[in-house]
Amino acid sequence: MASTASPAPLTLAVIGDYGCLSTTCTGLATQGETAVAALVHSWSPAAILTVGDNSYDTGSTSDIQADQQPYAADVANGRFYPLPGNHDWNNQCTNPNWINQSTSYFGRPPHYTAHFGSGLLDLFALDFNCATPDGNGPDSVQAQGYRTDVAASSAVWKLTAGHQPFYSSGVEGSYLSTHWAILPAIDLFLSGHHHDMEHLQEGGQDFIVDGVGGEDYAPLGTAIAGSLWSDAQHFGAVRLTVAQTSLKVEFIFSDGTVGHAFTITKVPPGSVSGTVTDATTSAPLAGANVSLASASATTDSLGHFSITGLKPASYTLSAAAANHITQSQSVTVVSGADTAANFSLPRPTLTTSLSIRGTVTDAAGKQPVAGASVSYSGGSTTTDASGNYAFANVAPGSYPVTVSGAGYGAQTQTVVVGPVYVQGGLQNAGNGSGSGATSVSATLAAPVSAGNRLVVAVRVDSNPNGAVVQSVSDSAGNAYTRYATASNNRPGGYQAEVTIWSAPVTAGGGTRPAVTATATGSADLSIGVAEYAGLAGSGTVVDQTAGAGGVSASGPASGATAGLSSVGELAFGAYGDGGSNVAITAGSGWTQRLNNSPTSYMTIAVEDQVAGQGATPNATWSNASPNSWAVALATFLPAPAAVQNFALTAPPAASGTISGVVTDAGTGRGIAGAAVSTPGASA
């Protein structure tokens, strides 16, 4: 049987702030470039990477010719991968052509992506300097291309390099202007500029500074919180030993001494695959959505799905298909292996009619009241011998139902049939730049009612993209399920995701629970919480879903669902985007419930409508923000029957008078002052 061999390990050298052999280099007398070059060549590296300041002091053609002599053969055979520092740009911001002297010599542009080891490692070399023609800010052409390249990379290891340090204890500190390049997918960040060596950890990621390649070394400042090791008294270089499951980083001084080393390990990802079929016919279900955590897949024409690139762990895997009941199962993903998981989805019992029903009893004895009259605006009936009554084919709405019986007082109760909106609220969190918050909470103005259902819309707008909603919970402990997800899938920059979640109020009835949405990373977040009466409480809750996303497109819409399977369903549409002071209004035929537009950022809006069997609702909105947007739609099933029981009370007996005369039996004369009494009264 054929096997696929892992890429062979490779050695890479990293040098920075090294080029000091020209007469213009102020550190020429004490330079360590030649010693560091000898050290690096003793490793026989597959490639030499630089983190800038390749030629002191100006990066002129004459500087380059002198400063690169120890590495001229490496440049000539293509194993030299430089990126520019401020000295390569002559410390200026006005001439975008200055760097051409370096790029002509090295044969590489100011910023680029390089691939090593047949998919083992990708290097993303960046130019953080102010004169770079593609810009050095988070919205620049360079930044957009970088995010696109990172997202497209399938390499085992991903390294990002730039001259100015992301984090540093050097006297100039960390360069916050570089932080747009800090992405979750990157395994190691390389930088120079500060003439020292340092290993730092920030946000669970590793950063190194390597600026002692030859020009000089300089004292450090006060160590910042993330600093794990540093040195400012030696020239040296960093050696990277890259294997399939490990990346070893060694800070080595020019005399060969290892000053510090650490290893990052990585286990191969696993996958989950299987089929989704109809429980009744065993036929494959095409277009079913299978999801776990933040990953998902859609089944093909044979009902097959596969989700790859998963971190080994235990997950809850769910499968959902139109007109079928969603099912979940626990799966364990194993490193380097595929886990099989199949689903057989049953069809739901259709709701073809909504009804009002209940029982009428005597409040004192709890006995059934037969023959009681029960009426509402749609008709009247009488209770049977067991005190039961029922109305069929009731349209969704809120109705006063009145009951009266012989010997009893009349009683009226309001009954909700099908979906009825009760109340709602929304809240935002974040700084408006696609980051700043990892959670957002909203609390409704009035207490929620037990048996009602909370439907929640969550918007996540992240920059750089990658953050998605992770969970929804509330302070009462109600259990929320995600039913719909929409995203614009933008390859770079701001990405909008809108999800719809719901939970029956089984805890916290009569209170105001705080509902919280949590994201996988820093983002702008919005949450809209709506309380509804008359929705299904358990079992099959959602019938159909839809969703779509876009960027700067007019007429945002979710797309139509498949035909609804039941009467009186609640179509719940949620819209989210970056705001930009654009007003959003509900589409035709929809009722707007929540909306915070126009705002400068963070728009979320919710609309709903009651739709009948066979309908294909499409959540639409009046306009689109210039930013990225997404629209999600979920149709919730109604409770088939609204149950309202009555306990009738008999009215008190009417009051009366007893009067008479008390006489002596012998004489017949009246007797004054005689005491006369009856239970409850006397005279």
Side-chain angles (χ1 to χ4, degrees), residues 331-405:
V331 296
T332 299
V333 175
V334 179
S335 174
D338 182 65
T339 300
N342 299 317
F343 290 90
S344 180
L345 302 185
R347 295 177 179 269
T349 301
L350 304 186
T351 302
T352 57
S353 173
L354 302 180
S355 64
I356 302 173
R357 60 181 176 84
T359 302
V360 180
T361 59
D362 177 271
K366 305 300 182 184
Q367 298 299 312
V369 177
S373 174
V374 187
S375 63
Y376 83 113
S377 60
S380 62
T381 188
T382 56
T383 58
D384 61 17
S386 299
N388 297 319
Y389 75 93
F391 295 104
N393 300 315
V394 181
S398 180
Y399 302 96
V401 178
T402 300
V403 176
S404 61

Side-chain angles (χ1 to χ4, degrees), residues 451-534:
N452 283 356
R453 178 170 283 275
L454 296 177
V455 183
V456 179
V458 180
R459 162 194 166 269
V460 180
D461 203 47
S462 60
N463 180 33
N465 58 19
V468 295
V469 67
Q470 185 174 50
S471 64
V472 172
S473 60
D474 69 33
S475 55
N478 293 302
Y480 289 81
T481 300
R482 173 165 43 184
Y483 290 107
T485 301
S487 171
N488 64 12
N489 294 317
R490 192 174 186 178
Y494 288 89
Q495 174 176 305
E497 180 202 58
V498 171
T499 54
I500 297 175
W501 305 66
S502 184
V505 181
T506 58
T511 69
R512 299 170 56 227
V515 183
T516 301
T518 303
T520 58
S522 181
D524 289 332
L525 304 175
S526 300
I527 187 170
V529 182
E531 180 184 6
Y532 288 89

Side-chain angles (χ1 to χ4, degrees), residues 317-341:
L317 183 70
S318 298
N323 296 313
H324 288 78
I325 298 174
T326 299
Q327 289 190 338
S328 300
Q329 60 178 284
S330 296
V331 296
T332 299
V333 175
V334 179
S335 174
D338 182 65
T339 300

Side-chain angles (χ1 to χ4, degrees), residues 112-352:
Y112 56 89
T113 297
H115 311 285
F116 301 94
S118 301
L120 185 60
L121 183 144
D122 279 353
L123 169 71
F124 306 97
L126 302 177
D127 184 357
F128 289 143
N129 297 283
C130 55
T132 187
D134 286 338
N136 65 346
D139 297 320
S140 64
V141 171
Q142 178 182 194
Q144 293 174 18
Y146 166 63
R147 288 190 288 264
T148 299
D149 286 356
V150 171
S153 173
S154 60
V156 176
W157 298 97
K158 301 176 180 65
L159 275 59
T160 292
H163 181 60
Q164 289 79 1
F166 304 90
Y167 292 99
S168 173
S169 300
V171 292
E172 294 180 13
S174 305
Y175 278 70
L176 300 182
S177 60
T178 67
H179 284 195
W180 56 264
I182 300 176
L183 300 181
I186 303 302
D187 298 296
L188 181 66
F189 295 87
L190 314 176
S191 62
H193 191 57
H194 292 170
H195 292 196
D196 54 57
M197 285 180 162
E198 189 170 17
H199 171 208
L200 309 99
Q201 275 190 349
E202 298 285 352
Q205 294 176 286
D206 288 280
F207 298 79
I208 70 171
V209 179
D210 176 20
V212 288
E215 197 276 340
D216 198 0
Y217 45 80
L220 286 149
T222 302
I224 65 175
S227 180
L228 301 180
W229 175 86
S230 61
D231 179 87
Q233 299 180 358
H234 299 85
F235 289 112
V238 169
R239 180 168 63 190
L240 305 178
T241 305
V242 190
Q244 183 73 14
T245 60
S246 64
L247 171 60
K248 186 177 182 181
V249 182
E250 297 171 281
F251 294 81
I252 303 178
F253 303 148
S254 57
D255 64 1
T257 302
V258 178
H260 175 67
F262 65 96
T263 300
I264 307 171
T265 59
K266 181 180 293 187
V267 297
S271 61
V272 176
S273 64
T275 57
V276 181
T277 58
D278 183 286
T280 302
T281 65
S282 298
L285 292 177
N289 179 262
V290 184
S291 62
L292 54 76
S294 59
S296 63
T298 301
T299 56
D300 60 19
S301 59
L302 300 177
H304 182 265
F305 71 91
S306 180
I307 304 176
T308 60
L310 298 175
K311 180 180 179 180
S314 294
Y315 298 92
T316 298
L317 183 70
S318 298
N323 296 313
H324 288 78
I325 298 174
T326 299
Q327 289 190 338
S328 300
Q329 60 178 284
S330 296
V331 296
T332 299
V333 175
V334 179
S335 174
D338 182 65
T339 300
N342 299 317
F343 290 90
S344 180
L345 302 185
R347 295 177 179 269
T349 301
L350 304 186
T351 302
T352 57

Side-chain angles (χ1 to χ4, degrees), residues 361-365 369 405-411 647-654:
T361 59
D362 177 271
V369 177
Y408 295 93
Q411 187 180 128
L648 301 183
T649 302

